[in-house]
């Protein structure tokens, strides 16, 4: 992972904790791919994709979460839930860090 991505993920973790989220896991990997952050808030499991940009010259970070990426995140999330025998409700969020602006999109896409 690029240094910028790691910095963005650290900022996202700090942001989520400040909003009352419990971080369950960072950089969860399986054969289908990776999820940046898995968190819990109010008994809901939240799968978070973090996109970081130093500026918006090439668009905002959240614009990079396309259908292909969404499908991959869903597969990885299912694997995580099955492997941990978790039946909690879940949702998918995107955190876009563009320069110094954090945009948190809750329920960014539905399954």
């Amino acid at each position: 992972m690029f240094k910028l991505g790691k910095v963005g993920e650290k900022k996202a973790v700090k942001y989520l904790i400040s909003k009352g989220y419990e971080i369950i896991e960072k950089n969860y990997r399986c054969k289908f791919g990776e999820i940046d952050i898995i968190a819990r808030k109010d008994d809901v499991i939240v799968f978070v994709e973090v996109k970081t940009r130093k500026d918006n010259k090439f668009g905002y970070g959240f614009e990079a979460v396309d259908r292909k990426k969404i499908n991959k995140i869903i597969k990885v999330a299912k694997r995580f839930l099955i492997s941990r025998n978790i039946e909690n409700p879940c949702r998918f969020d995107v955190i876009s860090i563009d320069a110094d602006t954090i945009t948190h999109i809750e329920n960014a896409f539905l399954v």
Side-chain angles (χ1 to χ4, degrees), residues 49-103:
E49 175 67 12
V50 180
K51 291 296 184 186
T52 308
R53 302 286 185 266
K54 60 183 173 183
D55 56 45
N56 62 1
K57 183 169 32 172
F58 297 107
Y60 295 98
F62 62 83
E63 295 174 320
V65 183
D66 60 11
R67 177 54 46 198
K68 183 177 176 182
K69 184 66 174 174
I70 289 169
N71 289 337
K72 185 179 277 195
I73 292 168
I74 291 168
K75 275 185 165 180
V76 177
K78 286 179 181 178
R79 172 66 73 171
F80 174 82
L81 293 170
I82 290 168
S83 72
R84 304 286 174 93
N85 199 28
I86 296 173
E87 296 183 6
N88 298 53
C90 65
R91 72 170 200 249
F92 298 89
D93 292 5
V94 173
I95 293 183
S96 182
I97 301 176
D98 303 287
D100 292 327
T101 302
I102 296 176
T103 303

Side-chain angles (χ1 to χ4, degrees), residues 3-35:
K3 184 178 177 182
L4 182 62
K6 282 220 180 275
V7 170
E9 287 181 12
K10 286 181 182 180
K11 285 182 181 181
V13 165
K14 187 176 177 180
Y15 168 84
L16 289 168
I17 290 170
S18 77
K19 298 296 183 187
Y21 289 77
E22 171 195 352
I23 305 303
I24 297 172
E25 193 153 342
K26 296 180 278 184
N27 303 111
Y28 172 79
R29 288 181 175 85
C30 72
K31 66 181 181 179
F32 301 119
E34 176 189 10
I35 292 180

